[in-house]
Amino acid sequence: MILRGDPAGPLAAPAALSGGSMRVWRVWVVPVASLFAIWGCTSPIALVGSVEPATVTPAVLARPAPAPAVSPGLGPGAIRSHWARDDLPVSPRARRIDCERIRCVALTFDDGPGAYTEPLLDILAGYGARATFFVVGRMAFGDGESTLRRMVAEGHELGNHTWDHPQLPLLSQSAIREELGRTQWLVKRATGVTMILMRPPYGLTDSRVAAESRQLGLAQILWNVDTLDWRDQDPSIVARRATEAGPGSIVLMHDIHRSTVQAVPRLLDEFAARGYRFVTLSELYGGRPAPGRKYYGGP
Ligand code: NI
């Protein structure tokens, strides 16, 4: 895969704060936050712990932020950072689709958000189609966060595709936790959504990846239809491979390729002509897929 430049820069050297060290941080953050604009962890919500990230790096916290506004409704001296914003997206009402009885296909897009993701969202909206986006944390961090919010607002599902897109089985267990936890935190902060799906980069998983996924409440979503769109960047080939899917299939694509996005209208037309509904993973499995378990899709 191709990743654009790392917008997070120094985030490459994480150091998790948890347990005792987090408590120390909380002690200091209140007085410090009232003097400085510290990004991320200063909202009243964060202080009561309801959206606390699994991991927080000093580098993230030190990132310059828009100046927080004082919110009179939140008590004396309360600071509203963008964790407490009231512009978090609202998902459309959940649909009840019985994929046991009608033809469903789950289109999935990995590795973004990227330059072609917004045009892809325009296309999906035009067809009333929902999809699942397995996002890479460092791709989303910063400018991509508004795209995450749009995905949620338009009924798409978000899944965790790690922070850096490594081969997870090569990492230590704590590094696996960090990769998943950081992206989990970013999406929660940007959208208010707690993801329940993950996809291991390259489809590489093992018992430790399964254990960490289970710990974070994430089902492991693989696929049964691979468009190989990263290799064959030709819209007609991508559309043909995608439409080989049968009912209940999970189709793997990547929204970082222009050719993939160009393939989407024709594959949507083809599937629609065959009576398919375009569903998210949670819709495909009729609720919450089991954390840690692997799902491949398929008839
Ligand atoms: Ni990937």
Side-chain angles (χ1 to χ4, degrees), residues 66-189:
V70 174
S71 174
L74 296 172
I79 289 180
R80 173 168 285 189
S81 75
H82 62 267
W83 281 28
R85 285 180 323 201
D86 47 17
D87 65 342
L88 290 177
V90 177
S91 295
R93 198 136 57 125
R95 306 181 296 186
R96 286 181 183 270
I97 299 174
D98 185 354
C99 292
E100 301 273 320
R101 295 179 51 225
I102 64 168
R103 292 177 172 184
C104 294
V105 62
L107 304 178
T108 67
F109 297 94
D110 291 11
D111 297 356
Y116 310 111
T117 306
E118 290 277 344
L120 172 59
L121 291 171
D122 293 340
I123 293 167
L124 293 172
Y127 282 80
R130 294 190 191 176
T132 304
F133 289 85
F134 288 94
V135 300
V136 170
R138 72 169 182 165
M139 294 291 282
F141 185 73
D143 292 347
E145 293 174 38
S146 61
T147 304
L148 301 183
R149 286 191 284 276
R150 180 177 172 194
M151 289 170 181
V152 171
E154 297 184 359
H156 304 295
E157 187 162 18
L158 298 184
N160 189 327
H161 200 40
T162 74
W163 186 269
D164 262 329
H165 205 275
Q167 298 182 40
L168 291 175
L170 301 183
L171 303 185
S172 69
Q173 189 133 2
S174 64
I176 294 169
R177 189 177 313 141
E178 185 79 17
E179 280 285 340
L180 292 171
R182 201 191 279 179
T183 298
Q184 200 71 2
W185 161 77
L186 175 71
V187 168
K188 177 73 176 181
R189 183 179 60 76

